[in-house]
Amino acid sequence: MQSDETGKTGRRLRVLLVEDNVDALEGLVEMTGLLGHDAHGCTSAENALSMLKGDQAFDLMITDIGLPGISGLELARQVRALRPLEITVASGYARSNDVPSDVGWLMKPFGIEEYAALLDQAAQR
């Protein structure tokens, strides 16, 4: 099925981006919008948890692994206890064995093609 909202097969996603580097976060929010999806960014796991405990709905959360305070990996675990949500962790390091199998992995640095593919796959689910 062709979507007028995204220009690709799939649906328009609501993406929660968690990244403590403000410049990187702003770039991701902009890139997400250019790819036809809605993005909300926050700079800490604590802010992300507050949003997820509220009434905002998201389809996908992409989080940096190295956050101050609560790590992205611990954030993923806590989110799993709150609600069903597709989660991808972004890191410059190789995937470790402590990452749950249902959590996606995005290797940094990544380009727009890799990011678009991740969003397209999520929009298909």
Side-chain angles (χ1 to χ4, degrees), residues 5-6 23 33-34 42 46 48 52 55 67 71 74 76 78 82 96 110 114 117 120 125:
E5 294 175 324
T6 65
D23 292 334
L34 290 172
C42 55
E46 292 82 1
L52 290 166
D55 59 359
L67 298 170
S71 74
E74 180 57 30
Q78 289 187 33
L82 286 176
S96 69
F110 54 86
E114 292 166 288
D120 288 346
R125 293 190 263 282

Side-chain angles (χ1 to χ4, degrees), residues 35-95:
L35 292 169
H37 302 284
D38 297 321
H40 185 88
C42 55
T43 58
S44 74
E46 292 82 1
N47 287 344
L49 287 169
S50 292
M51 293 182 66
L52 290 166
K53 288 177 183 174
D55 59 359
Q56 288 191 324
F58 294 99
D59 302 300
L60 170 66
M61 179 180 77
I62 301 172
T63 180
D64 183 28
I65 201 165
L67 298 170
I70 300 172
S71 74
L73 193 53
E74 180 57 30
L75 171 62
R77 289 185 183 113
Q78 289 187 33
V79 168
R80 279 285 178 258
L82 286 176
R83 63 167 69 175
L85 179 65
E86 188 166 341
I87 301 170
T88 295
V89 173
S91 175
Y93 298 101
R95 185 179 184 120

